[in-house]
Amino acid sequence: MKIIVINRALKEEHKDKIRKAADKIGADVFFAEEEKNIPLEFADAEVLYGHGMENARTNKNLKWLCVPSAGVDHLMKPGCFANEDCILTNSSGAYGVTIAEHMIAVSLMMMRRLTETYEETLRGEWGSPRPQKSLKDARITVLGTGDIGKEFAKRAKAFEPRSITGVSRSGISDETSFDRMLKISDLDKILPETDLLAMSLPDTPETRNVLSAERLALLPEGSYVVNVGRGSAVDETALAVFLETGHLAGAALDVFHTEPLPEDSPLWKTKNLLITPHIAGNLTLDHTLDKNVDMFLEDLENYAEGLPLKHLVDRNKGY
Amino acid sequence: MKIIVINRALKEEHKDKIRKAADKIGADVFFAEEEKNIPLEFADAEVLYGHGMENARTNKNLKWLCVPSAGVDHLMKPGCFANEDCILTNSSGAYGVTIAEHMIAVSLMMMRRLTETYEETLRGEWGSPRPQKSLKDARITVLGTGDIGKEFAKRAKAFEPRSITGVSRSGISDETSFDRMLKISDLDKILPETDLLAMSLPDTPETRNVLSAERLALLPEGSYVVNVGRGSAVDETALAVFLETGHLAGAALDVFHTEPLPEDSPLWKTKNLLITPHIAGNLTLDHTLDKNVDMFLEDLENYAEGLPLKHLVDRNKGY
């Protein structure tokens, strides 16, 4: 069996771990910095761990593609796989911790007005205290209760919010940090009682534009929005209007309709909008990379033994 | 009995609450925006809730001064009280929540490089991910385990650090978020195993310069310091050197030897130093103000009934 691994962030310790696991099942492994570095003798590999879109599109022998990201929307179009039966797994469980931390960080930066304070101190000014909000006693709504939403809820809980409501398709979660769970069909009921809306949704036909102008209007005056899932979930133009009018006290976006955000995007100058360049979840945190590799190796063992893979993506649902 | 209240942040609801409590014990209450607004007929009040240093210095009838701050170091010098037997209480329990939130916020801003990212986005630049650190798996040392240190530990715990070590004079705490407690005499042993040093100490002769140049050198390469107690606890000049050389990856100071920080202080330009203008704990957060008033009223009831006051300051220890 041939395995291609494409990941420039890997350290020697990760490569060693992967090599040992490959040896154990009699597989050959090739590490590539980028997809274009795959040698001819590995172009027909059975397994690919990494962003190998071009190989997936052309390699009829590819039986399993494991992407190191959580999002797989780029692999949902027809023609992405030369082998239509190719199994797809993602690394969705690896990012919950780091993205949840980011969500807490940007929520506090906005609510406690630390962005404005930081700008003042950059200019060497000793400013005055500003009216501030807090996670304490806030009504938090978590839209999307997968790995990221759960890890966020666990952390948010420690700040003693008034409530944490999870909203998902099923309306069910095993995470006890949610004070209650609602179905997505009840979203319009909970929005008017939301001080902080924390969104971590995959990109699917159902999640596109879920935070529409109509729904933004349902959020109370002075509320906050955080989005770390996919940019397509938010009507960016409407969001900017609600920020400029002051209806929303702040929004933090890590994801956008177009990335990188175009230079001439009006979002750069939108009032009380905290922009981050899709960095909430990346492999620069040791923990995330370790977990990413461990999840692949766990499923490599399953794959070799003919067991079902744990991190399987439902190619119909898109996550 | 006459009561003076000096606090410009109070809302009508707080004043009502205080009036009702005063009525109940047959006391007259006067609300002043500032100390200079106290009318002559209240100058000999028995109770003062607020920063009434001038009244305390001259009013021989003053039996109880309740300050709305946690710090009381400004009242420790001889001559502060016309009545040497005047009881002093503080509002130390009111600030734990808000200051702990601030500590988490600035820790994440530094470790996740969000200050640099924010500067980039202010310029309209879509930056690249930076190597980042995290509270996840960090070894956290909490120096000062009063109300603030405890609330910080509770919140930090949710981020799954490797360990949280509390350090205090007694080496004992009832807060279960501390994985272990050490006495201050063991501080030098724990510093080399500290990724994040979170300091919330009152100003006392023992805490002055506790984070000296020698102790800064004991912290490992790439570690972080947060100080929200009193500025006197840190050797600012040495801290700046350790930041400039890169030995420390970052520091967040909310308190300084001189406040406001002088315009010509080199700290304004020190590398990786996150300055906030003593805003971690202030009364602009509803929860903090509510709790502050409730704590005073709790002790007003005790005072009227001749019971011991709950938030008493030991004027020998200074906290």
Side-chain angles (χ1 to χ4, degrees):
Chain A
M1 194 198 322
K2 294 178 197 169
I3 303 173
I4 305 168
V5 175
I6 313 173
N7 190 337
R8 61 168 72 237
L10 294 183
K11 296 177 187 167
E12 265 320 304
E13 67 199 71
H14 300 118
K15 291 184 183 173
D16 281 347
K17 241 181 162 177
I18 295 171
R19 267 188 217 107
K20 270 183 201 149
D23 278 353
K24 217 173 134 187
I25 59 168
D28 289 324
V29 57
F30 183 84
F31 294 96
E33 292 265 304
E34 288 180 65
E35 192 169 11
K36 62 173 193 244
N37 306 133
I38 301 172
L40 202 60
E41 66 266 32
F42 271 85
D44 62 347
E46 182 174 334
V47 175
L48 196 162
Y49 169 41
H51 286 296
M53 282 188 79
E54 180 56 24
N55 186 275
R57 207 176 56 74
T58 53
N59 174 5
K60 285 183 189 156
N61 290 321
L62 189 67
K63 292 200 179 138
W64 172 29
L65 173 64
C66 171
V67 292
S69 60
V72 291
D73 38 290
H74 56 295
L75 292 165
M76 288 299 122
K77 293 178 205 99
C80 283
F81 291 90
N83 169 17
E84 266 313 312
D85 298 326
C86 182
I87 294 168
L88 177 62
T89 62
N90 68 358
S91 305
S92 137
Y95 295 93
V97 164
T98 191
I99 298 183
E101 255 193 19
H102 176 92
M103 293 168 85
I104 296 284
V106 293
S107 300
L108 291 175
M109 282 171 79
M110 290 194 291
M111 297 175 107
R112 301 186 64 93
R113 315 281 295 268
L114 287 169
T115 51
E116 291 142 291
T117 299
Y118 186 62
E119 285 182 58
E120 263 173 6
T121 52
L122 277 180
R123 294 192 299 264
E125 288 169 29
W126 182 269
S128 301
R130 295 179 160 79
Q132 48 179 255
K133 299 288 176 183
S134 170
L135 290 176
K136 168 82 181 169
D137 298 333
R139 296 166 301 176
I140 301 174
T141 299
V142 181
L143 181 51
T145 59
D147 179 46
I148 299 168
K150 284 184 196 177
E151 294 294 339
F152 172 72
K154 277 194 233 172
R155 284 157 180 76
K157 190 82 174 177
F159 291 85
E160 301 170 9
R162 198 182 321 166
S163 60
I164 306 184
T165 304
V167 180
S168 72
R169 186 142 71 162
S170 70
I172 297 167
S173 175
D174 57 357
E175 173 53 53
T176 55
S177 299
F178 294 117
D179 296 308
R180 60 171 167 175
M181 283 294 301
L182 294 177
K183 285 190 177 189
I184 186 97
S185 49
D186 287 325
L187 180 58
D188 291 2
K189 281 187 222 158
I190 189 70
L191 288 177
E193 293 159 30
T194 297
D195 299 313
L196 172 67
L197 177 65
M199 302 172 64
S200 58
L201 292 165
D203 178 64
T204 70
E206 289 162 293
T207 63
R208 264 162 232 155
N209 203 40
V210 64
L211 194 59
S212 59
E214 293 72 25
R215 289 222 172 92
L216 281 161
L218 293 176
L219 285 168
E221 184 97 21
S223 52
Y224 296 85
V225 172
V226 172
N227 186 28
V228 295
R230 282 289 180 260
S232 58
V234 176
D235 181 336
E236 287 176 350
T237 312
L239 182 80
V241 172
F242 280 89
L243 285 165
E244 288 293 347
T245 62
H247 183 86
L248 289 182
L253 301 183
D254 189 53
V255 288
F256 300 86
H257 285 239
T258 307
E259 295 178 15
L261 190 62
E263 268 180 45
D264 60 353
S265 168
L267 293 181
W268 288 113
K269 295 288 176 200
T270 298
K271 195 171 84 178
N272 296 328
L273 175 60
L274 177 52
I275 291 172
T276 49
H278 205 143
I279 55 164
N282 63 58
L283 293 171
T284 57
L285 189 67
D286 287 346
H287 165 76
T288 317
L289 187 55
D290 294 347
K291 185 143 185 195
N292 207 300
V293 170
D294 288 347
M295 284 169 60
F296 167 66
L297 293 181
E298 185 185 9
D299 265 346
L300 184 61
E301 214 173 296
N302 291 331
Y303 182 82
E305 290 178 20
L307 296 171
L309 302 200
K310 204 170 159 189
H311 305 288
L312 209 60
V313 171
D314 182 330
R315 284 173 61 189
N316 291 313
K317 285 189 187 169
Y319 61 90
Chain B
M1 194 201 317
K2 294 178 199 167
I3 303 173
I4 305 168
V5 176
I6 313 173
N7 189 337
R8 60 170 71 237
L10 293 183
K11 296 177 186 167
E12 266 319 304
E13 66 196 74
H14 299 117
K15 291 184 182 173
D16 281 348
K17 239 181 165 176
I18 295 171
R19 270 189 212 106
K20 270 181 203 152
D23 277 354
K24 215 172 135 186
I25 60 167
D28 291 323
V29 58
F30 182 85
F31 293 96
E33 292 264 302
E34 288 181 62
E35 191 168 13
K36 61 174 193 244
N37 305 131
I38 301 171
L40 204 59
E41 66 266 32
F42 272 85
D44 62 347
E46 185 174 330
V47 175
L48 197 160
Y49 170 39
H51 286 295
M53 282 190 78
E54 181 56 25
N55 185 276
R57 207 176 56 74
T58 53
N59 174 5
K60 284 183 186 152
N61 291 320
L62 188 67
K63 293 199 178 140
W64 172 29
L65 173 65
C66 170
V67 292
S69 59
V72 292
D73 38 288
H74 55 295
L75 292 164
M76 288 299 121
K77 293 174 204 100
C80 283
F81 290 90
N83 169 18
E84 267 312 313
D85 299 324
C86 183
I87 295 169
L88 176 63
T89 61
N90 69 357
S91 305
S92 135
Y95 295 94
V97 164
T98 192
I99 298 182
E101 256 193 18
H102 175 93
M103 294 167 85
I104 296 284
V106 293
S107 299
L108 290 177
M109 283 171 77
M110 290 194 292
M111 297 174 107
R112 299 186 65 92
R113 316 283 294 270
L114 287 169
T115 52
E116 292 144 292
T117 299
Y118 186 62
E119 285 182 59
E120 262 173 5
T121 53
L122 276 180
R123 294 192 299 263
E125 288 168 28
W126 182 271
S128 301
R130 296 179 159 79
Q132 48 180 254
K133 297 286 176 184
S134 170
L135 289 175
K136 169 80 181 171
D137 298 333
R139 297 167 299 177
I140 302 174
T141 299
V142 181
L143 181 51
T145 59
D147 179 44
I148 299 168
K150 284 183 197 179
E151 294 293 339
F152 172 73
K154 276 193 233 174
R155 283 158 180 76
K157 190 82 174 176
F159 292 84
E160 302 169 7
R162 197 182 322 170
S163 61
I164 305 184
T165 305
V167 181
S168 72
R169 184 142 72 163
S170 69
I172 297 168
S173 175
D174 57 357
E175 173 52 53
T176 54
S177 299
F178 294 117
D179 297 308
R180 60 172 168 176
M181 285 293 302
L182 294 177
K183 286 191 176 191
I184 186 97
S185 50
D186 287 324
L187 181 58
D188 291 1
K189 280 187 225 161
I190 189 71
L191 288 178
E193 293 158 31
T194 297
D195 299 312
L196 172 67
L197 178 66
M199 302 173 63
S200 58
L201 292 164
D203 178 66
T204 70
E206 289 163 292
T207 63
R208 262 161 234 157
N209 202 39
V210 65
L211 193 59
S212 59
E214 292 72 26
R215 290 218 171 95
L216 280 162
L218 293 177
L219 284 167
E221 184 99 18
S223 52
Y224 297 84
V225 172
V226 172
N227 186 26
V228 295
R230 282 287 181 259
S232 59
V234 175
D235 182 335
E236 288 175 350
T237 312
L239 181 79
V241 172
F242 280 90
L243 284 167
E244 288 292 348
T245 61
H247 182 86
L248 289 182
L253 301 182
D254 188 53
V255 289
F256 300 87
H257 285 239
T258 307
E259 294 178 17
L261 190 62
E263 269 178 45
D264 59 355
S265 167
L267 293 181
W268 288 113
K269 296 286 174 201
T270 298
K271 193 171 84 176
N272 296 329
L273 175 59
L274 177 52
I275 292 173
T276 48
H278 204 143
I279 54 163
N282 62 58
L283 292 172
T284 57
L285 188 67
D286 287 346
H287 166 76
T288 317
L289 186 56
D290 294 347
K291 185 143 185 194
N292 206 300
V293 170
D294 288 347
M295 284 169 60
F296 167 66
L297 293 180
E298 183 185 11
D299 264 349
L300 184 61
E301 214 174 297
N302 291 332
Y303 183 82
E305 290 177 20
L307 297 171
L309 302 199
K310 203 169 159 191
H311 306 287
L312 210 61
V313 171
D314 182 330
R315 284 174 60 190
N316 292 315
K317 285 190 189 170
Y319 62 90

